[in-house]
Each structure stands twice: as C-alpha cells, then as structure tokens.
Amino acid sequence: MIASLFSKTRPINYAFIFIMLFFCFFLYQIQVPNESFNTNTLFSKFGVLLLVFFSFFLVNFISLKNALTQNDNYAILLYLVFILLFPSVLNDSKIVVSNVFLLLALRRLISLKTLSSSKEKIFDASFWIFLSAIFHFWSILYIVLVFISIVFHSGKDYKNWILPFVSFFCVWILYISTSLILYDNYSINKDVFEVSFNFFDFKNSYENMTLAAFVSISVLFFASQTIDYQNKPLNMQSSYKQIYFAFILSIGIYVFSANKSNDLLLYSFAPLSILGANMFEKMENSIYKEVSLYLLLGVGMFFFFVQL
C-alpha cells in the first residue's frame, strides 16, 4: 500500500509526512534533558521544526522539478526514514540550518543544465555554501561541487571560475559586518578547523547499530544507481553525476569533522533519498517494493524509539 500511495504526488503523502514528522519531533523533544523553558527556547525549537519541514520541500522540489525522479514522492518518504534513524538531528539547530543552505545551493547547481542565468546560479550556490560553513565549517567542502558543476555545464567562460571567490568575499564581509554590529568585534574559533578520524565515539550501542544500518542502506542505494548510470537519459547524466558527487562530499564532511556526531549524516540524506527513489522506481515487482519500503520504515521507527 505504501509503495502505491507514494508512487504519485498526492496531498495525502505530504499530510502523512507532516503528521509523522510533527509526532516524532514532539516525542523527541519531550525526552530531551530539561532546559530552562522560556520563549526563546520555544521559538528556537519551532524554528528548527520549520527548517526541517522546509528541507523536505527542497528535496521534493529538487527531485521533481529537475526530473531526477518520476512523478512520485519516494524521495521525501526516504528522507523521513533517515530522519527517524537519527532523531538527534531534530535538536541540532546549527546542522539543520547548514543543511538547508546546502540544499538551496544544490537546487541552483542542478538547474545549471538549463544553461540560463548560469552566472547568477553559480554565485548563488557558492553564496549558500559559504553561509552554510558559518554554521558548520566542513560543509565548505561542497564548494567542490560548484567547480564540478562548472566543468559539466559552463566551463568555457572563465568568469564562472571567478564567481565562487566573489561569493566568498561577500559572505566574509557580511560575517565581519554582522559580528561588529552584534558583538563589537569578530573572531574565528580555531577549533572549527580541527580534523578527527575517530569513528568510534558513540554514546551507546544503538547509535553504533543505527550507523551500521545507514551505511548498509547507503551502499545499496549508491551502488545500485552507479551501476544503472548508463541507463539514465543522456541529457540527465550530468545531473545524476552532481547527485553522486553531492553524496560523496557529504560523507567527506562527516569524515573530516572533529565531532563525529551522527547528526552530520544529515548532509547525505537528500542525495541518498533521490538515489533511493530511483532504485524503487526501477523495481518491477510491486510486492517486493511494498515489503522493502515497509521494512525501511519499520527499521526507521524501531531505531527512533530505541534512541528516545
């Protein structure tokens, strides 16, 4: 039933996602260690929820508007499953904000295939990436995707290669100005540049198990779609390459970050959801598709509740 339900874009699908996410967000927040409850805390948590909803909208827009998936909602269903696997992201405002900026950048980069307003899109994408780096420094690795996209779509114009550096200086000036206005000074915490390759700092065994499940799903989705790459339409292959590189760079963010919190895997959810949606679209056996989606949703719910 769930496979057939999400096989088309229907209002009920968005209602299901909204209700599930709101329910899980509420359950997770009530078990978070008590904080001094005040208006600022309430607005902060509500703001995070809105940004998470907005990220679902962006994933849906990127996948459907750019024809990366067919006219279905598998991508946002899988995005929900990944959120369930790592519910702590619902309480990490900086990573959520950073991820939204990267999704905005990805939206602009994928649309470069139209070859219209290329310079504006390159500038915008770079701008969003550097803004993202303010909230989590290693998200700056996504700037590599900008140069890869320039190679794919508009590498002959030398001005396009300069635009990311222009964006950097714009964000840098904006950062300094805002810091001076709000704090009368500005400084850079050197800790943000730290690199760590310690992959075994888990709070409990459930986090370890969840990461193992996520890695297995990631390998399945990425490998299946890499193998199927040659079957993609020629005019879409560069867009899928961008998704592949987006996923690889998101893993790079996790690898280089000093704090190996599972929250950092949020950066990989969008490209992986699109790849997974493509895999399910290729399945001809409806029963196998139904069972697989129910299994994924069940795994997500199981790890969500054991981590509460």
Side-chain angles (χ1 to χ4, degrees), residues 182-250:
L182 296 178
Y183 309 109
D184 292 329
N185 60 59
Y186 74 93
S187 60
I188 299 177
N189 186 354
K190 294 181 180 179
D191 291 343
V192 301
F193 302 107
E194 288 186 1
V195 178
S196 172
F197 299 105
N198 178 14
F199 298 95
F200 303 100
D201 187 19
F202 300 106
K203 295 179 183 178
N204 53 63
S205 59
Y206 290 119
E207 286 193 359
N208 194 357
M209 293 167 59
T210 307
L211 181 60
F214 179 77
V215 170
S216 302
I217 295 170
S218 301
V219 171
L220 174 63
F221 287 177
F222 185 79
S224 67
Q225 292 311 296
T226 302
I227 294 171
D228 190 58
Y229 170 75
Q230 295 299 329
N231 296 324
K232 307 291 185 186
L234 289 176
N235 64 330
M236 292 297 300
Q237 289 188 358
S238 61
S239 296
Y240 283 107
K241 284 181 182 178
Q242 288 173 294
I243 296 298
Y244 298 149
F245 280 112
F247 174 71
I248 294 170
L249 290 170
S250 68

Side-chain angles (χ1 to χ4, degrees), residues 134-191:
I134 294 175
F135 294 89
H136 183 73
F137 174 74
W138 285 109
S139 63
I140 202 171
L141 290 176
Y142 244 68
I143 200 65
V144 175
L145 185 60
V146 174
F147 292 107
I148 291 173
S149 300
I150 292 173
V151 171
F152 289 160
H153 300 291
S154 51
K156 294 181 180 179
D157 190 343
Y158 74 93
K159 295 179 182 178
N160 292 334
W161 296 93
I162 301 174
L163 286 171
F165 300 99
V166 176
S167 291
F168 172 78
F169 284 111
C170 289
V171 173
W172 181 248
I173 293 171
L174 181 64
Y175 173 73
I176 293 176
S177 302
T178 304
S179 298
L180 290 175
I181 292 172
L182 296 178
Y183 309 109
D184 292 329
N185 60 59
Y186 74 93
S187 60
I188 299 177
N189 186 354
K190 294 181 180 179
D191 291 343

